[in-house]
Amino acid sequence: MAVSRIVALAVAAAIGIGLAGTATTSAAADLRIAAQPFPLYAPLFVAKQKKWLDEELAKVAPNSAVKWSLFPAGPPINESFAAGQQDVGFVGDTPALVGKSAGLDTSAIALTSDGPKSLAVIVGGNSPITAPKELKGRKVAVTKGSYAHHLLALVLEQGGLTLSDVELINLPVAEIPPAIVAGTVDAGAVWEPILTRFESQKAVRVLADGTGIKKGLLLIVADNGFLKNRPEQAKALLTAYKRASEFITANPKEAAELISGDVNLAPDLLVQVLRRMNYDPAIHDDDVAEVKKTEQFMRAHGLIKTAVDVDAFFNRKLADEAGLK
């Protein structure tokens, strides 16, 4: 999703605020969640399956319901926010910053997860490429504006290269491994569960992951109007998410069985992913520092045109009030 397109949608949403306002008023008690069906957001699906989200929400808004929307990546979630269709979204740090820079009135209220090994630059299982420097002049696929886009730049940097040294191919993440297998691209940057699914088949091989260079932060973002008018619903969501994250840590196998269908990954593979992730939603200083690095990268590479005040973007007060430590 091009940044200009997001801006256009935001403007259109502002022009049509009367219509958007009517929709919001008619379902004022509903909590609208934009998510991605990936294990990176596993506690959300555990909270859904265990009815913990419904339980916490009922304490603060008895007549409310959760309205779910699933998306294949973060950029279309930004589009949905721009159209006034969401209250809370689950996205990577990069698309979160793209949306904020483009004018979305959002704040980051918690982390969904982090895991340096949950995103990686991959090559074919039999590829002769063994080091990042060998990607020079190659076709490399990435979902532009995703958090794997930043990882790719960092991996190339390890090989003395920049994004300009490769031929970037913009593809949805699910299409990247098949393109590598078919030989139409030489490498690609992907995340879970795509990574584990194809690596387990030995169809692809990890060239480099985020270890030592990118934590793989994903964020819970929320519309600021929602936070102002219904902060207790936001806190209820964070409480349920924290409860589910602790359940996953204590019961990874049971959690994998519980949400396998939600994230479209077999339980035996899913449990591997869950064990390599940190699902603590609390915001720490090093997390803010990491997102600042992402923001600097995005401005330097023209992915955003307007700087984002990362300190202001994080609403740490809400997380503290929800008991996230």
Side-chain angles (χ1 to χ4, degrees):
M1 169 56 58
V3 171
S4 59
R5 173 63 173 156
I6 296 172
V7 173
L9 283 165
V11 172
I15 294 172
I17 195 162
L19 178 59
T22 300
T24 302
T25 301
S26 66
D30 292 341
L31 173 59
R32 303 172 299 172
I33 296 177
Q36 302 173 59
F38 303 142
L40 304 169
Y41 313 99
L44 178 65
F45 298 109
V46 169
K48 177 184 178 183
Q49 293 293 347
K50 287 284 192 180
K51 307 295 184 184
W52 291 338
L53 180 54
D54 294 330
E55 177 184 316
E56 295 296 334
L57 199 57
K59 295 177 183 178
V60 298
N63 297 320
S64 64
V66 180
K67 302 296 184 182
W68 298 90
S69 298
L70 295 180
F71 297 85
I77 289 181
N78 281 337
E79 190 174 349
S80 187
F81 265 94
Q85 297 170 342
Q86 306 298 336
D87 298 314
V88 181
F90 289 69
V91 295
D93 59 354
T94 303
L97 291 168
V98 167
K100 186 66 176 179
S101 175
L104 295 185
D105 188 19
T106 53
S107 292
I109 61 173
L111 306 185
T112 74
S113 63
D114 67 81
K117 293 186 179 297
S118 66
L119 69 168
V121 174
I122 58 172
V123 295
N126 297 317
S127 172
I129 299 172
T130 59
K133 65 182 181 180
E134 296 170 21
L135 292 174
K136 186 172 184 177
R138 304 274 192 166
K139 292 182 178 180
V140 183
V142 68
T143 302
K144 187 176 181 180
S146 68
Y147 77 146
H149 193 160
H150 184 205
L151 174 74
L152 175 60
L154 294 172
V155 169
L156 290 172
E157 186 178 301
Q158 288 186 321
L161 306 177
T162 69
L163 291 169
S164 299
D165 291 313
V166 301
E167 182 180 348
L168 281 183
I169 308 296
N170 186 22
L171 288 177
V173 65
E175 296 180 15
I176 293 176
I180 292 174
V181 173
T184 55
V185 299
D186 300 296
V190 300
W191 57 87
E192 296 290 5
I194 301 297
L195 176 58
T196 290
R197 182 179 298 125
F198 282 88
E199 190 180 18
S200 68
Q201 300 169 7
K202 302 191 183 302
V204 302
R205 170 171 51 83
V206 172
L207 182 66
D209 59 30
T211 301
I213 56 174
K214 188 171 178 66
K215 290 176 65 177
L217 287 178
L218 298 108
L219 308 176
I220 302 176
V221 299
D223 175 77
N224 283 329
F226 162 73
L227 294 178
K228 178 181 179 181
N229 296 323
R230 292 180 282 156
E232 296 307 315
Q233 285 194 1
K235 293 176 192 176
L237 170 65
L238 296 184
T239 298
Y241 197 90
K242 175 65 172 178
R243 183 177 177 184
S245 71
E246 292 171 346
F247 176 84
I248 291 172
T249 300
N251 308 280
K253 291 184 179 180
E254 185 178 345
E257 292 284 351
L258 186 66
I259 66 168
S260 175
D262 291 289
V263 300
N264 192 28
L265 191 65
D268 61 325
L269 296 180
L270 178 54
V271 74
Q272 296 177 34
V273 178
L274 297 181
R275 284 173 169 160
R276 69 174 57 156
M277 302 297 298
N278 170 33
Y279 291 109
D280 180 7
I283 301 166
H284 300 104
D285 290 344
D286 62 331
D287 301 318
V288 177
E290 169 116 347
V291 175
K292 286 181 179 179
K293 292 178 182 178
T294 301
E295 193 272 347
Q296 292 166 3
F297 155 78
M298 295 174 72
R299 277 191 288 114
H301 290 83
L303 292 173
I304 58 174
K305 295 181 179 179
T306 303
V308 175
D309 183 341
V310 173
D311 287 312
F313 182 44
F314 277 93
N315 183 338
R316 302 179 74 167
K317 181 175 181 291
L318 190 78
D320 289 341
E321 291 175 353
L324 304 187
K325 302 295 183 182

